[in-house]
Amino acid sequence: MSTSPPAARRRVPAGWVATAAIVALLVAMAVSTKYRSVEAAAAAAPKGFDPAAFGAENYDAKVVPAIKGNAVELPALLKAVEEDKEAAGQKYGKRAGTGPYNFAVKGTGTAGKPTSGLLPVDVPGLPDGAKVYLQIGPAINGTALRDSVGFITFGQFVNQVDFADAATALNDQMRQKLLNGLDIAALDGKKISFTGAFTLLTPATVTITPVAVS
């Protein structure tokens, strides 16, 4: 009886094996990959700083109550500054690093004629020569509203631009909420009360950003 030799095993070309492995990998990647729409991707992306939203969320709810709650009578504050500027700053003020102190203040006096965006107020009991002005716009300058409360700091922001925009947003809120409804011209010669904040540059001239005028 004759026996025939076993059939030779067919070898699979190495190129086919590599190709099959790549195809399998691509299929696995396709199955495991989640595809999102452009809208979904945009919604999930990190959001940039929104100054308008920051102002709207913080002005009425946090900044105004903090300034009103910490406001010092202006004549008493300026007398304390005159006696010891650093001690007065540490007791009543807020500041970032070695920058100037910012104070929340209140007072009563007689309003003068508004000029160049400022309303002069004759406040009794001030140190000799001291002058007081309220910012009435349209341009509202400075960072007193931001820096006088103590809980808004540079470390909360990505960069200096956003930090500056936060101050501008609070000033914008003040203009919208207070100044737009105030008849400034009608205040000339009348007794008014005010609450606000200022940055101490010189005690001889105090320029206050108000949050309340009545």
Side-chain angles (χ1 to χ4, degrees):
M1 179 182 294
S2 62
T3 58
S4 55
R9 294 182 179 179
R10 299 179 62 185
R11 293 185 177 180
V12 178
W16 292 12
V17 175
T19 301
I22 293 173
V23 170
L25 177 61
L26 292 175
V27 170
M29 291 174 61
V31 170
S32 62
T33 300
K34 295 181 179 179
Y35 292 94
R36 295 186 297 179
S37 66
V38 174
E39 292 77 8
K47 299 295 188 296
F49 178 63
D50 185 341
F54 176 87
E57 292 168 5
N58 288 278
Y59 179 75
D60 279 330
K62 298 179 181 179
V63 172
V64 172
I67 291 175
K68 288 183 175 180
N70 294 319
V72 181
E73 289 288 347
L74 183 59
L77 174 64
L78 292 185
K79 287 180 180 178
V81 168
E82 190 176 45
E83 292 173 0
D84 190 329
K85 179 180 177 180
E86 185 63 25
Q90 291 181 6
K91 183 175 182 179
Y92 300 112
K94 300 285 191 300
R95 70 174 175 180
T98 58
Y101 281 105
N102 299 271
F103 298 93
V105 293
K106 57 186 176 181
T108 301
T110 303
K113 184 177 181 179
T115 179
S116 301
L118 298 174
L119 178 70
V121 183
D122 183 10
V123 179
L126 298 182
D128 291 343
K131 297 184 181 299
V132 176
Y133 300 91
L134 303 184
Q135 290 205 79
I136 54 174
I140 304 298
N141 301 311
T143 61
L145 297 185
R146 182 195 70 190
D147 296 340
S148 64
V149 295
F151 54 77
I152 303 174
T153 63
F154 177 69
Q156 297 169 305
F157 299 85
V158 173
N159 52 50
Q160 184 65 44
V161 173
D162 288 354
F163 191 44
D165 285 346
T168 301
L170 294 175
N171 291 348
D172 289 344
Q173 283 287 311
M174 184 279 290
R175 182 171 53 246
Q176 295 169 21
K177 301 290 179 63
L178 175 64
L179 298 182
N180 286 353
L182 195 61
D183 187 352
I184 301 295
L187 299 179
D188 187 7
K190 293 185 178 180
K191 185 177 181 179
I192 65 170
S193 295
F194 59 85
T195 304
F198 76 97
T199 301
L200 180 61
L201 301 177
T202 168
T205 303
V206 176
T207 303
I208 298 168
T209 304
V211 296
V213 177
S214 59

